[in-house]
Amino acid sequence: MRFRRLAACVVLAGLAGLATFQSGTAHAEVAAGLPITSVFQVVADTAHGHLFISQGMDAGSNDSILVTDLNGNPVTVIRDQALGLALSPDGKTLYAANGNAVTAISTTTLKETASYPLPSGDRAVGVAVQGSELWMSYQDTNSTPLGEIGEIDLANDSATWNAVPGYWLNFAPEIALDPSGTGILVTSSVGVDPPTVATYDASNPSAVSLIVSATSLGCRGSNGLSVLPGGTTFLCDGLPYS
C-alpha cells in the first residue's frame, strides 16, 4: 500500500466529514522522512490543521501518535501508545485507545486532559464517539481472548462493559457510529474469515440491540469503517453499504 493512497483516502474522507483511515493489523508503507515505522489509523482535524497518525502494536516501543500538518509535515509527537483514534463531535478532543485506558487529548494544546481506564487485563483497540458517549472495542484477555465493546458516559462518568450482545473470538472488532447521533453502531470483524458485519441500535447503551448481521459482504474494516450522517449508509474498505 503506497502512502499516496493513504493520503488520498484521508483527503476524500475529510471531504465527506469522516476523515479516518484504519490499516488495522496490516502495515501501511510510509513515505521517507516521517518518523514512524507503521500506520494503524489516521484522523484529520481540519479545524486545527492537523493529521493524527497512530502506529499500532507493530511499532513496538515507538508506538506514539505523530502529529503533522495537513500537508504531512511533522508538528510534534504525542507519547501515547495508541491504536484506534476518534475526534469528539465538537472537535476539541482526540480520543486514543491506549493499552488499558482510553486517553483524551486536547486538539488545541496537544496535551492529555483525561484518562478512562478499562477493567484490569483489558486492552482498548478501537474508539468511536457519539454525543457524550465514548465507545471502544477492547480485547478481554482474562480468559480466552475475546473481543468486546464497552461504553463510557462522559457526562455522568459511568461505564457499561460488554455493552453489545455477543463477543468476537480472538480479535476486537472495528467499530463506527453515526456522527449525527441516530445511535447506529456498525461493527466489522478483524482476522476472521468470512468477516462478520453487523449493525446495532445503540441509542440506549444499556440495551443495545442487533439490527442485522451478514458474512457475505467481504467487509473487514481494516482499511476504514465509518457511518455516513443519518445512519442509513456505512462505508467499509472504501465501499458503501446499506
Side-chain angles (χ1 to χ4, degrees):
M1 182 185 301
R2 298 294 178 185
F3 189 78
R4 58 178 176 271
R5 181 182 174 188
L6 167 62
C9 288
V10 173
V11 172
L12 290 174
L15 292 175
L18 294 165
T20 61
F21 171 90
Q22 291 174 307
S23 65
T25 55
H27 270 291
E29 185 175 337
V30 298
L34 286 179
I36 55 178
T37 58
S38 64
V39 173
F40 185 87
Q41 186 169 4
V42 177
V43 168
D45 176 12
T46 55
H48 299 96
H50 290 145
L51 295 178
F52 297 97
I53 307 172
S54 64
Q55 298 186 64
M57 292 179 288
D58 291 334
S61 60
N62 298 316
D63 51 356
S64 53
I65 300 173
L66 173 66
V67 185
T68 75
D69 62 22
L70 296 181
N71 292 318
N73 300 306
V75 173
T76 189
V77 172
I78 300 173
R79 300 296 178 184
D80 208 340
Q81 298 179 353
L83 295 175
L85 303 173
L87 274 179
S88 62
D90 60 11
K92 294 181 179 180
T93 305
L94 176 76
Y95 293 98
N98 180 22
N100 189 235
V102 175
T103 54
I105 300 165
S106 167
T107 52
T108 54
T109 65
L110 303 180
K111 303 293 185 181
E112 182 179 316
T113 59
S115 180
Y116 304 94
L118 275 67
S120 177
D122 293 346
R123 179 180 176 85
V125 177
V127 286
V129 189
Q130 187 169 243
S132 63
E133 296 165 359
L134 173 63
W135 294 80
M136 77 291 298
S137 62
Y138 60 95
Q139 204 78 26
D140 183 348
T141 61
N142 290 298
S143 56
T144 300
L146 298 177
E148 298 176 356
I149 298 175
E151 177 265 347
I152 295 175
D153 185 338
L154 299 174
N156 298 308
D157 196 26
S158 60
T160 302
W161 304 112
N162 197 16
V164 176
Y167 59 85
W168 289 258
L169 187 62
N170 296 324
F171 299 98
E174 302 289 354
I175 60 173
L177 283 157
D178 176 13
S180 65
T182 61
I184 296 297
L185 169 69
V186 179
T187 69
S188 181
S189 60
V190 177
V192 178
D193 193 15
T196 299
V197 181
T199 56
Y200 298 87
D201 179 355
S203 55
N204 181 357
S206 62
V208 177
S209 59
L210 175 69
I211 298 173
V212 66
S213 64
T215 58
S216 59
L217 302 184
C219 159
R220 298 184 184 279
S222 56
N223 287 317
L225 181 69
S226 57
V227 183
L228 297 182
T232 60
T233 303
F234 67 93
L235 302 177
C236 186
D237 297 334
L239 297 176
Y241 297 93
S242 168

